[in-house]
Amino acid sequence: GKPNIVHFSGHGGTEGIYITTEDNQAQLMPLAALQRLFKSLSGTVRVVVLNACYSAEQAKVISQYGMYVVGNNLPISGPAAISFSEGFYNGLGEGKNFEEACNDAMMVVLTRNPAAADIIEAWKDGQKLEI
């Protein structure tokens, strides 16, 4: 089956996210390409986590396809991104919904990496959520 959650962990810039080519070179996947990818997954993918720097703009655009999307409005450290993921997936594993799992994730971030708390954003239907 198709995935319900897409988790991207890597590098990002204001113009898109970076993917790896077959010969292990970094290649930009621009916003227009991300839009096409996630538009085709609309109705299947429920959650997208863009664990990359400068991914909030991409998160906003992708969320317009009816998905919950997490992104970062500035560079984020590896430990802070991992803290978010740990709390988020533990919450989902306990059967919590997206916003409850984000709350769990933010508790971990605020405890271990408090400076990153204002960097992490969540979006749905083109609107920024309070998390």
Side-chain angles (χ1 to χ4, degrees):
K2 293 184 179 178
N4 291 128
I5 299 175
V6 173
H7 186 111
F8 173 83
S9 184
H11 297 286
T14 52
E15 60 286 329
I17 61 174
Y18 288 91
I19 58 173
T20 305
T21 61
E22 289 177 18
D23 56 350
N24 208 28
Q25 299 297 309
Q27 179 176 342
L28 179 71
M29 187 173 189
L31 187 54
L34 286 169
Q35 283 179 273
R36 285 183 178 267
L37 171 65
F38 287 103
K39 185 176 184 182
S40 72
L41 295 171
S42 179
T44 302
V45 171
R46 295 181 17 247
V47 175
V48 179
V49 179
L50 298 175
N51 235 340
C53 301
Y54 298 116
S55 54
E57 185 61 31
Q58 293 94 306
K60 177 182 179 180
V61 171
I62 293 168
S63 77
Q64 294 169 357
Y65 299 115
M67 304 162 191
Y68 287 100
V69 189
V70 176
N72 304 299
N73 57 38
L74 288 169
I76 188 162
S77 71
I82 291 167
S83 291
F84 179 87
S85 295
E86 186 179 319
F88 182 70
Y89 290 112
N90 281 341
L92 289 182
E94 292 169 7
K96 296 180 178 178
N97 68 27
F98 176 83
E99 294 189 38
E100 293 166 338
C102 275
N103 190 58
D104 286 6
M106 294 308 293
M107 284 190 282
V108 178
V109 171
L110 284 164
T111 302
R112 295 187 195 157
N113 316 89
D118 292 336
I119 295 172
I120 301 164
E121 298 181 358
W123 294 81
K124 177 80 163 49
D125 300 323
Q127 302 294 317
K128 186 177 168 189
L129 304 174
E130 293 300 319
I131 57 166

